[in-house]
Amino acid sequence: MHTLIFTCLGLLALAIICWQAWRERVTEKQRIPPDWEASLVRMSNEQMHGRHREVRESVLQACQRLECYPARSRVAPHVRVRLAVLLARDPVYTEVVRAIRTACAAEPAVSEMALCVGMRQYLLEDIRQCMAIAEHFGQIRRQAQAGDSLVIASFHPTT
């Protein structure tokens, strides 16, 4: 009788230890790796100092790095959300995406040249950088037609 009780208690303790180890392993997989975390913190600090162009360049590079990750990676969605939060604080990015969506509400596509002329208060480099990032996030598509690049807004939620 005592042997059975001690055996059951031992199996219960072993089950609790295995469950805890499994739970820690699952939460460890969902965390952002330290190199990504350091990069995101650096970008956030740069943005707080007003260096939006450098942050957009870093976001673009991060998006290109994320394309190398497997489709079912658990890191990519977490990093994309953190990058989207950074971009929401960027005044140029939000204005460029808003202008594209406004122009595409009236017509199916807008010329990249017409968009750049309409947003002449911003540098051409900044506008193109924002369009490249928006393309990585699935907010727009670019299509070449008759020597001009057309920009087509995507009104579905970003991924």
Side-chain angles (χ1 to χ4, degrees):
M1 181 68 174
H2 292 294
T3 311
L4 184 62
I5 291 174
F6 284 122
T7 304
C8 288
L9 284 175
L11 288 175
L12 180 65
L14 185 62
I16 290 172
I17 291 170
C18 289
W19 176 73
Q20 185 66 25
W22 175 79
R23 203 170 116 203
E24 287 176 5
R25 194 180 100 226
V26 167
T27 57
E28 185 65 33
K29 280 185 179 179
Q30 292 177 347
R31 291 191 186 139
I32 297 175
D35 60 330
W36 279 103
E37 189 67 38
S39 179
L40 291 168
V41 168
R42 181 186 49 78
M43 284 188 255
S44 179
N45 289 337
E46 283 181 359
Q47 193 172 45
M48 286 190 324
H49 289 101
R51 291 182 283 230
H52 297 290
R53 185 174 294 134
E54 289 85 4
V55 172
R56 282 193 302 272
E57 183 63 36
S58 297
V59 168
L60 189 56
Q61 290 172 359
C63 287
Q64 292 167 349
R65 274 178 51 198
L66 283 176
E67 287 180 354
C68 298
Y69 274 75
R72 304 197 47 88
S73 171
R74 293 183 180 204
V75 172
H78 295 292
V79 173
R80 281 186 178 277
V81 168
R82 299 275 299 270
L83 293 174
V85 168
L86 286 172
L87 291 172
R89 293 187 221 142
D90 187 350
V92 178
Y93 180 79
T94 55
E95 280 299 314
V96 168
V97 172
R98 185 178 297 127
I100 292 170
R101 287 186 173 176
T102 302
C104 287
E107 297 180 22
V110 64
S111 168
E112 184 177 328
M113 183 180 69
L115 182 72
C116 291
V117 169
M119 299 188 72
R120 60 186 165 269
Q121 69 269 26
Y122 299 117
L123 292 174
L124 183 63
E125 173 188 350
D126 290 339
I127 296 170
R128 287 204 169 148
Q129 196 176 46
C130 291
M131 284 193 294
I133 294 170
E135 194 171 17
H136 277 284
F137 275 96
Q139 294 173 318
I140 68 167
R141 285 184 300 124
R142 287 194 258 186
Q143 178 181 2
Q145 184 178 20
D148 192 16
S149 180
L150 294 178
V151 180
I152 304 164
S154 176
F155 293 101
H156 64 80
T158 58
T159 54

